[in-house]
Amino acid sequence: MTVLSSIWSRIQSSLFPYLEDELGELSDQHRRLIGILEVVRIEENINSLNVTGRPVSDRAAIARAFVAKSVYNLGSTRALLDRLRCDPAVRRICGWESRHAIPSESTFSRAFGEFARGRLPEEVHARMTERYLSDHLVGHISRDSTEIIAREKPVAATGREEPPKRKRGRPKKGEPVPPKEPTRIERQQHMTIADMLAELPTACDRGCKTNSKGYKESWNGYKLHLDVADGHIPITSILTSASLHDSQAAIPLAALTAERVTSLYDLMDSAYDCDGIRAYSQNLGHVPVIEPNRRRGQKRCFDPVKNMRYNERTTVERVFGRLKDEFGGRMIRVRGSTKVMAHLMFGILALTADHLLKFVG
């Protein structure tokens, strides 16, 4: 956290006084936005997009404005533009001297499309976690998923290919036995990260799950899978179709997280109770702590030590709650998995920076 401490010291000693001389007294929310933008430094990654059109400086200001949109939990781009026009401090913090310099709503939309296609917020988040956490040992990684409700029609379900029919019963002596198709989790044991991610479905469809009270809930949209470190810091995120089972994204999440941070324990609920997931975690040098799944009515329990470890898994639930309640996770106004992921990642960027600053603030 040495780098983070030096950044926070510079913000307090020089940046806040300079901006107060220019803009007048700053509110607590203004100071929070400045700190988050200084930790994120999204403008440093704009050049990597390699797109033509508006000046780079203008796109950098727009990118900072989208981070501000998540910090202020604004529901739409139009609400963001209204805030920029009526709040000179936010406008200057993002990078525009006057309200007449603010681009139009259509320009914001085109820029957001560029950021989504270039996976800008995802790349910035990956670099940010590596910069601030790669030299630290993380005790627990909590893994889970949450529903993302979208305003779009689910794709039509395609009929599954019927497996070739074979005679019922055991094969005769000497008759060849057809090989069993490996499951996705079995295939993932030997796949690259890119291949694993390419195989996961990302189209909008219908998901269903049982809530904490035992009732079934369904929604149209997607499912966000997260790995969260101690201190409520998101490390890795994947967006998939809502119908995908949680266990199918566990190994890609674990592989991505292992590239960014060094951790000890992987904490997962009963949806991840699978020998393949447990073996992959152990191969990474981690200790998997997975809630036993009730199978055939048989109840299995943790030993007391693992039970204490497992209690730390609630960090990922609190991160989901903050993302939805405070950083725009409930207000999806874009369509398509690429843009939905970009919208969520701007919120995750702001949330990650906010929690990092709590260590030094």
Side-chain angles (χ1 to χ4, degrees):
M1 293 293 176
T2 306
V3 177
L4 200 60
S5 298
S6 63
I7 291 174
W8 181 241
S9 177
R10 178 174 55 83
I11 291 172
Q12 285 187 310
S13 62
S14 58
L15 187 56
F16 282 160
Y18 170 77
L19 290 174
E20 285 183 337
D21 289 340
E22 292 285 320
L23 306 175
E25 186 176 357
L26 298 171
S27 68
D28 291 340
Q29 192 73 336
H30 290 145
R31 290 171 175 266
R32 178 169 174 249
L33 174 60
I34 293 166
I36 288 173
L37 287 172
E38 285 300 302
V39 171
V40 172
R41 304 295 297 175
I42 195 169
E43 63 275 4
E44 295 178 353
N45 298 269
I46 293 294
N47 290 331
S48 63
L49 292 178
N50 293 323
V51 293
T52 58
R54 299 189 69 82
V56 172
S57 60
D58 208 6
R59 290 202 300 274
I62 292 173
R64 289 168 67 89
F66 278 120
V67 177
K69 178 185 174 185
S70 297
V71 173
Y72 283 90
N73 200 21
L74 300 175
S76 64
T77 302
R78 191 166 299 173
L80 171 63
L81 290 172
D82 290 341
R83 185 64 186 247
L84 291 170
R85 293 188 183 108
C86 70
D87 193 332
V90 174
R91 182 172 66 245
R92 292 285 300 277
I93 290 168
C94 290
W96 291 289
E97 292 294 327
S98 68
R99 58 184 299 175
H100 302 291
I102 300 173
S104 65
E105 185 177 354
S106 59
T107 301
F108 268 80
S109 296
R110 287 194 297 271
F112 182 83
E114 293 175 2
F115 300 154
R117 290 189 296 273
R119 305 173 70 89
L120 174 67
E122 295 173 66
E123 293 294 327
V124 174
H125 182 260
R127 295 178 186 180
M128 187 171 67
T129 53
E130 290 173 7
R131 180 183 183 188
Y132 298 124
L133 298 174
S134 60
D135 58 345
H136 284 73
L137 181 63
V138 176
H140 306 92
I141 291 292
S142 302
R143 183 168 299 135
D144 206 351
S145 72
T146 189
E147 73 278 3
I148 300 297
I149 301 173
R151 291 185 171 184
E152 54 184 301
K153 286 186 177 181
V155 295
T158 56
R160 292 185 177 181
E161 292 185 7
E162 292 292 332
K165 291 185 178 181
R166 64 182 185 88
K167 292 171 62 177
R168 296 179 62 183
R170 296 175 61 184
K172 293 181 181 180
K173 188 175 182 180
E175 185 177 342
V177 180
K180 184 181 177 182
E181 285 291 326
T183 64
R184 177 181 281 137
I185 291 178
E186 290 172 345
R187 294 195 303 272
Q188 287 174 344
Q189 304 288 332
H190 311 288
M191 295 171 69
T192 64
I193 296 177
D195 290 339
M196 285 190 279
L197 294 175
E199 196 178 72
L200 298 179
T202 57
C204 174
D205 65 2
R206 194 160 185 83
C208 182
K209 71 172 186 178
T210 303
N211 62 21
S212 58
K213 297 182 180 179
Y215 297 103
K216 283 193 174 182
E217 297 177 342
S218 60
W219 73 96
N220 290 341
Y222 304 90
K223 188 178 281 188
L224 178 66
H225 307 261
L226 270 187
D227 270 6
V228 177
D230 297 328
H232 306 82
I233 300 175
I235 303 297
T236 308
S237 54
I238 296 175
L239 188 74
T240 67
S241 299
S243 60
L244 186 77
H245 193 268
D246 291 1
S247 62
Q248 307 298 294
I251 291 178
L253 277 173
L256 284 167
T257 299
E259 287 189 344
R260 298 176 185 178
V261 297
T262 303
S263 60
L264 300 177
Y265 293 88
D266 291 337
L267 312 181
M268 294 166 270
D269 63 21
S270 59
Y272 302 90
D273 188 8
C274 169
D275 291 338
I277 295 173
R278 192 175 287 103
Y280 195 89
S281 175
Q282 291 171 341
N283 289 336
L284 291 174
H286 302 166
V287 178
V289 181
I290 306 175
E291 181 184 12
N293 196 346
R294 287 192 177 188
R295 293 188 173 93
R296 300 172 183 170
Q298 182 182 3
K299 185 178 180 180
R300 296 179 294 163
C301 299
F302 278 135
D303 61 66
V305 176
K306 284 191 174 181
N307 193 50
M308 292 178 63
R309 293 281 182 190
Y310 185 74
N311 289 337
E312 297 293 326
R313 200 195 65 86
T314 55
T315 56
V316 67
E317 303 289 353
R318 291 193 285 272
V319 167
F320 283 138
R322 286 205 72 195
L323 176 63
K324 292 182 176 181
D325 294 340
E326 303 177 34
F327 294 92
R330 294 192 195 277
M331 295 173 286
I332 308 297
R333 302 292 186 265
V334 291
R335 296 182 178 182
S337 61
T338 303
K339 289 187 176 181
V340 171
M341 184 59 170
H343 172 85
L344 293 170
M345 284 305 303
F346 275 113
I348 291 174
L349 270 178
L351 187 151
T352 304
D354 188 50
H355 278 294
L356 285 170
L357 287 172
K358 290 181 180 180
F359 287 108
V360 295

